[in-house]
Amino acid sequence: MLRIDMSGFFTLAAVADYVEQRRAAFLQLRCGPGQHVTLCDLRDCQVSMQEVLNAFADALGDPRPGRGASLS
């Protein structure tokens, strides 16, 4: 399982950093493609600019297949 805890106010640079860290974490998974579970805790995130939300949507629009859940 990949657990992601997100907090604070995100900038475009922070989104790019998140995408890179997520990519690196996916590469370390030992399960087969589409067999992982991702849990993303967004409870401590602050409202972000639309530009930042669009960047997240673009980054997450084509994730590695699997199951995921978000807490907000």
Side-chain angles (χ1 to χ4, degrees), residues 56-68:
F56 267 118
D58 290 344
L60 300 175
D62 187 22
R64 181 175 163 181
R67 295 171 288 167

Side-chain angles (χ1 to χ4, degrees), residues 3 6 24 28 35-36 43 51 54-56 66 68-70:
R3 181 183 168 109
M6 300 174 79
Q28 294 177 2
Q35 295 178 342
H36 76 283
R43 292 178 290 182
E51 183 179 30
N54 291 341
F56 267 118
S70 296

Side-chain angles (χ1 to χ4, degrees), residues 12-26:
L12 290 175
V15 173
D17 186 49
Y18 162 77
V19 169
E20 178 56 30
Q21 288 183 32
R22 191 185 99 187
R23 184 195 66 76
F26 279 155

Side-chain angles (χ1 to χ4, degrees), residues 2-4 9 11 15-16 19 27 29-30 38 41 44 46 48 50-53 56-57 62-63 65-67 69:
L2 180 60
R3 181 183 168 109
I4 302 169
F9 185 79
T11 63
V15 173
V19 169
L27 292 175
L29 293 174
R30 292 191 168 87
T38 301
D41 186 344
D44 293 327
Q46 296 176 0
S48 296
Q50 188 63 46
E51 183 179 30
V52 172
L53 297 175
F56 267 118
D62 187 22
R67 295 171 288 167

